[in-house]
Amino acid sequence: MTDEELWGEVRAGGDEAFGLLFERHAQAVFAYCLRRTGTWAVAEDMVSVVFMETWRKRTSVRVEGSLLPWLYTVALGATRNHQRARKRYRAALGRVPAQHADDDHADDVARRVDAETRTRAVIAELEKLPAGDREVLEMSAWSDLTQPQIAEVLGIPVGTVKSRLARAQRTVRGALVEEVL
Amino acid sequence: MNITPDVPQLDPLRVQVRKHALLTEIDEKPSRRWWRIAVPATTLVAAAAAVMVLWTPTNPNASASWSAEPRAPGADTEAAVADCRTMIEEHDRREKPANFPAAPTEVSVVDQRGIMTLALFTGPQSELLCRHVQGGRASLTGSGRAEGLEPLGDELFRSFGASTHSERDGSDAMRIFRGEVSGQVGKAVVETENGLEVTATIGDGWLIAWWPGKEDAKLVRLYDRQGTEIGTAPAGIR
């Protein structure tokens, strides 16, 4: 079944269809949130937040083709909120040691730490960009969305997406290498 | 450095746990929402009801200005009757069942005591009693019959009985009495169960009177135009 068909059932109150959509897109939303936040646990929580918000607005959301553009829209908002809160408490958080050793499975812990380390390094570079440019670059690199879809998610014209993407690429070139750019 | 750092796949088991938690949360939402809406809504309705009771515009207390004798028509009489007529006309424009008696248009008698004016509109098929209070609002009470009223004949009086009226909150209760009278009758006094003697207002073959409280009328004493008592009649409807 396509997203559109499943969404039709969701709008009629079908939580089973919603569960299928969750299984289908949880990984993509998680990856986006992890790359934006750099924290595995936060990203996992945000997946739940994104889908809860999507369920809450199911009667007003229209899905054409894929549900992903909408999910990215919500994920963008959720991660923006997270970043604002993080900045607010950055000074306090800086004094708190990072907690990675909260799992008994060494391999899994290592996997998580690696992922977090990689994403945080990227985040540190991307934070040098203006917020608008950064969001366009991230959306372009981390999602399968087309530029018109990115424009819709970010609520900006397609031309702005193109110009911001070009500017962001020029800025980060050298520090970041990305084959999809 | 790669701008798209690899992100490991979520553990399928964790995805299922998250999904289960999500669906459980979704299932619980309606009942929570029900309380979130119902409780404030109930509070709101209760508050609105209290406000209605406290703030519903009520007429000034007509009973406080009541007198056993009706007063002479004053400057306010014409305006009160005009208000009543407007109300009847508005009432008459509403959709009515077939054979509904036509609304009366003639004012037969106007009784004024203190700040209250009673205007009895009569027609071949119906009567409408308009109660108008200065500084307040008007209300209508009516009765009618498609076949019209039976002629009074030799009788001096025919009672239509007394009805109780009050404000919406039950305050300022009063009884309004009306009946038909013969042309021989120049004056009528209504005796009530609590001992009041209320001089009725007579006009065009009709009489009306009112008094504060809920006590019923007991009997009606009838006088000719010279003031001679010509009979008494039970106040109840025969």
Short mmCIF file of all heavy atoms in Angstrom, two decimals, chain A residues 15 17 21 38 41 44 50 53 60 65 68 71 79 82 85 96 101 116 137 144 161 174 177:
data_model
loop_
_atom_site.label_atom_id
_atom_site.label_comp_id
_atom_site.label_asym_id
_atom_site.label_seq_id
_atom_site.Cartn_x
_atom_site.Cartn_y
_atom_site.Cartn_z
N ASP A 15 -5.51 3.12 13.33
CA ASP A 15 -4.19 3.21 13.96
C ASP A 15 -3.25 2.10 13.46
O ASP A 15 -2.04 2.23 13.55
CB ASP A 15 -4.29 3.19 15.50
CG ASP A 15 -5.10 2.04 16.02
OD1 ASP A 15 -5.53 1.21 15.21
OD2 ASP A 15 -5.28 1.96 17.25
N ALA A 17 -2.88 1.29 10.30
CA ALA A 17 -2.23 1.91 9.14
C ALA A 17 -1.16 2.89 9.61
O ALA A 17 -0.09 3.02 9.00
CB ALA A 17 -3.27 2.63 8.29
N LEU A 21 2.90 3.05 8.78
CA LEU A 21 3.63 4.25 8.35
C LEU A 21 4.81 4.53 9.29
O LEU A 21 5.87 4.98 8.86
CB LEU A 21 2.68 5.46 8.31
CG LEU A 21 1.71 5.48 7.13
CD1 LEU A 21 0.62 6.52 7.34
CD2 LEU A 21 2.45 5.77 5.82
N GLY A 38 22.52 15.32 17.08
CA GLY A 38 23.78 14.70 17.50
C GLY A 38 23.64 13.81 18.72
O GLY A 38 24.63 13.40 19.30
N ALA A 41 19.60 9.36 21.89
CA ALA A 41 18.37 9.24 22.70
C ALA A 41 17.37 10.34 22.35
O ALA A 41 16.16 10.09 22.26
CB ALA A 41 18.73 9.31 24.18
N GLU A 44 15.72 9.52 19.06
CA GLU A 44 14.69 8.47 19.22
C GLU A 44 13.40 9.05 19.79
O GLU A 44 12.31 8.74 19.33
CB GLU A 44 15.22 7.36 20.15
CG GLU A 44 15.82 6.20 19.40
CD GLU A 44 15.93 4.94 20.26
OE1 GLU A 44 15.06 4.72 21.13
OE2 GLU A 44 16.88 4.20 20.05
N VAL A 50 7.40 13.36 16.60
CA VAL A 50 6.99 13.67 15.22
C VAL A 50 5.73 12.87 14.84
O VAL A 50 4.78 13.42 14.28
CB VAL A 50 8.14 13.35 14.23
CG1 VAL A 50 7.65 13.36 12.79
CG2 VAL A 50 9.28 14.34 14.42
N GLU A 53 2.61 14.11 16.79
CA GLU A 53 2.11 15.37 16.22
C GLU A 53 1.40 15.09 14.89
O GLU A 53 0.39 15.73 14.59
CB GLU A 53 3.29 16.33 16.01
CG GLU A 53 2.91 17.70 15.52
CD GLU A 53 2.13 18.52 16.53
OE1 GLU A 53 1.91 18.02 17.66
OE2 GLU A 53 1.72 19.63 16.19
N SER A 60 -6.12 17.35 9.22
CA SER A 60 -5.81 18.51 8.39
C SER A 60 -4.65 18.27 7.43
O SER A 60 -4.43 19.06 6.52
CB SER A 60 -5.49 19.72 9.29
OG SER A 60 -4.41 19.41 10.14
N GLY A 65 1.39 11.35 -2.47
CA GLY A 65 2.57 10.52 -2.71
C GLY A 65 3.14 9.99 -1.42
O GLY A 65 2.69 8.99 -0.88
N LEU A 68 6.61 11.50 3.84
CA LEU A 68 7.90 12.02 4.33
C LEU A 68 8.01 13.56 4.36
O LEU A 68 8.52 14.10 5.34
CB LEU A 68 9.04 11.44 3.52
CG LEU A 68 9.65 10.16 4.09
CD1 LEU A 68 10.71 9.60 3.16
CD2 LEU A 68 10.25 10.39 5.48
N LEU A 71 6.51 14.60 7.46
CA LEU A 71 7.28 14.16 8.63
C LEU A 71 8.53 15.02 8.82
O LEU A 71 8.90 15.38 9.94
CB LEU A 71 7.67 12.69 8.48
CG LEU A 71 6.51 11.68 8.50
CD1 LEU A 71 7.02 10.27 8.19
CD2 LEU A 71 5.79 11.69 9.85
N THR A 79 13.21 19.67 16.01
CA THR A 79 14.66 19.84 16.25
C THR A 79 15.03 21.31 16.45
O THR A 79 15.94 21.62 17.20
CB THR A 79 15.48 19.25 15.09
OG1 THR A 79 14.98 19.76 13.85
CG2 THR A 79 15.40 17.74 15.06
N HIS A 82 14.36 21.91 19.95
CA HIS A 82 15.40 21.27 20.76
C HIS A 82 16.67 22.13 20.77
O HIS A 82 17.30 22.32 21.81
CB HIS A 82 15.70 19.88 20.21
CG HIS A 82 16.92 19.25 20.83
ND1 HIS A 82 16.91 18.75 22.11
CD2 HIS A 82 18.18 19.08 20.36
CE1 HIS A 82 18.11 18.28 22.39
NE2 HIS A 82 18.91 18.45 21.35
N ALA A 85 16.27 25.12 22.99
CA ALA A 85 16.38 24.75 24.41
C ALA A 85 17.83 24.42 24.76
O ALA A 85 18.31 24.77 25.84
CB ALA A 85 15.48 23.55 24.69
N VAL A 96 28.13 19.29 32.55
CA VAL A 96 27.70 17.93 32.85
C VAL A 96 28.41 16.95 31.93
O VAL A 96 28.40 17.13 30.71
CB VAL A 96 26.16 17.79 32.63
CG1 VAL A 96 25.71 16.37 32.91
CG2 VAL A 96 25.43 18.78 33.53
N ALA A 101 27.69 5.70 28.63
CA ALA A 101 27.81 4.33 29.13
C ALA A 101 26.57 3.91 29.89
O ALA A 101 26.62 3.55 31.05
CB ALA A 101 29.04 4.21 30.01
N GLU A 116 27.10 9.27 17.17
CA GLU A 116 26.98 10.59 17.80
C GLU A 116 28.21 11.44 17.54
O GLU A 116 28.11 12.64 17.26
CB GLU A 116 26.73 10.43 19.30
CG GLU A 116 25.33 9.91 19.61
CD GLU A 116 25.05 9.81 21.10
OE1 GLU A 116 26.01 9.87 21.90
OE2 GLU A 116 23.88 9.67 21.47
N LEU A 137 20.58 23.06 3.34
CA LEU A 137 21.67 22.12 3.06
C LEU A 137 21.39 20.76 3.71
O LEU A 137 21.54 19.70 3.08
CB LEU A 137 23.00 22.69 3.57
CG LEU A 137 24.24 21.83 3.32
CD1 LEU A 137 24.51 21.67 1.83
CD2 LEU A 137 25.47 22.45 3.99
N ASP A 144 15.42 12.50 0.90
CA ASP A 144 15.28 12.24 -0.53
C ASP A 144 14.35 13.24 -1.19
O ASP A 144 13.85 13.01 -2.29
CB ASP A 144 14.71 10.82 -0.73
CG ASP A 144 15.69 9.76 -0.25
OD1 ASP A 144 16.92 10.02 -0.35
OD2 ASP A 144 15.25 8.71 0.25
N VAL A 161 15.48 28.18 -2.13
CA VAL A 161 16.15 26.91 -1.81
C VAL A 161 17.44 26.80 -2.62
O VAL A 161 18.50 26.48 -2.08
CB VAL A 161 15.21 25.71 -2.12
CG1 VAL A 161 15.98 24.39 -2.03
CG2 VAL A 161 14.03 25.69 -1.16
N GLY A 174 35.29 22.23 1.37
CA GLY A 174 36.62 22.19 1.98
C GLY A 174 36.56 21.53 3.33
O GLY A 174 37.34 20.64 3.62
N VAL A 177 32.77 17.27 2.67
CA VAL A 177 32.69 16.71 1.32
C VAL A 177 31.46 15.82 1.26
O VAL A 177 31.27 14.96 2.12
CB VAL A 177 33.94 15.87 0.99
CG1 VAL A 177 33.81 15.26 -0.41
CG2 VAL A 177 35.20 16.72 1.08
#
